[in-house]
Amino acid sequence: EIVYEAPSLAMSATKNNKVLIDQLISHLGLSGDPFEDGSHVFFEGAQRQHNLETLRHMATFGDMVLLLTGEKGSGKTTLVRKFFEESAEDLNVYVSDAQDIAQHKDKSYSVIQGLSEQLGLSAVQGETTRQSFSRLVQYLDSQYSENSQRNVLVFDNADILPKKELQFYFSCFC
């Protein structure tokens, strides 16, 4: 009996992707892989532009929590980054990446503390996350009263946050 084992699809796809990427680099004169992690390329296709406009509309006119989900590498962070760049004049968008929070030297450091630091709010020794959050919301409310610009808080990679912290945010925002 002769058994033929087909090459794995993952290996075949990886090889095909490499060939395609090499062709794109050569044909377009690119300096590197446009799909590489950390690449800040935004491909403006009809669906991506629609997603960006939907995100902008919901952030501008909605009073809700927006939950942007998708597979790893599907473009969520790139979409948020593009939204941030294009909305800078109309909205105050603050992005906190849970990936950065997870790598912080202080293991009790939270997304709220990261956002507070971005806003220049100094940490209060012994303050709970709930107290930090309350102080952050008060600050954002006062900023809105002064300039009438909506504030949008973005938690990127929120799926890696500790369950207890994520539940706290949902309880506050929902």
Side-chain angles (χ1 to χ4, degrees):
E1 178 180 5
I2 299 174
V3 177
Y4 172 75
E5 190 172 321
S8 83
L9 290 176
M11 188 172 78
S12 178
T14 301
K15 184 177 177 183
N16 289 341
N17 287 346
K18 172 98 173 89
V19 170
L20 177 62
I21 290 166
D22 289 344
Q23 289 174 351
L24 283 171
I25 290 170
S26 173
H27 180 71
L28 299 174
L30 303 175
S31 60
D33 180 354
F35 305 105
E36 175 179 40
D37 282 348
S39 171
H40 301 302
V41 176
F42 184 79
F43 297 97
E44 293 188 20
Q47 186 60 45
R48 287 240 177 181
Q49 201 59 42
H50 174 74
N51 292 344
L52 186 60
E53 291 303 319
T54 300
L55 187 58
R56 184 183 353 267
H57 179 81
M58 293 173 79
T60 303
F61 300 108
D63 287 329
M64 64 188 91
V65 173
L66 303 177
L67 184 60
L68 181 61
T69 63
E71 295 294 319
K72 180 178 172 77
S74 64
K76 298 176 301 294
T77 299
T78 303
L79 185 66
V80 167
R81 188 177 296 112
K82 186 70 171 177
F83 168 73
F84 177 76
E85 291 169 3
E86 291 189 2
S87 302
E89 291 182 24
D90 304 322
L91 301 167
N92 294 320
V93 181
Y94 304 100
V95 180
S96 184
D97 190 340
Q99 189 78 37
D100 297 337
I101 303 300
Q103 296 169 354
H104 196 274
K105 62 183 177 200
D106 178 0
K107 294 304 173 196
S108 65
Y109 193 75
S110 70
V111 169
I112 294 302
Q113 289 167 312
L115 287 168
S116 295
E117 281 182 9
Q118 281 185 44
L119 294 164
L121 296 175
S122 56
V124 175
Q125 190 68 26
E127 186 175 60
T128 66
T129 300
R130 185 171 300 278
Q131 290 167 327
S132 297
F133 178 73
S134 178
R135 201 162 47 87
L136 174 66
V137 169
Q138 287 174 354
Y139 175 81
L140 293 172
D141 283 346
S142 70
Q143 290 296 308
Y144 179 75
S145 295
E146 288 178 22
N147 62 23
S148 298
Q149 234 178 348
R150 289 185 65 127
N151 297 294
V152 178
L153 306 179
V154 178
F155 300 175
D156 197 9
N157 294 308
D159 59 303
I160 67 169
L161 290 172
K163 183 178 178 180
K164 187 176 180 179
E165 185 177 351
L166 201 52
Q167 287 172 330
F168 168 73
Y169 298 137
F170 276 115
S171 73
C172 293
F173 292 120
C174 296

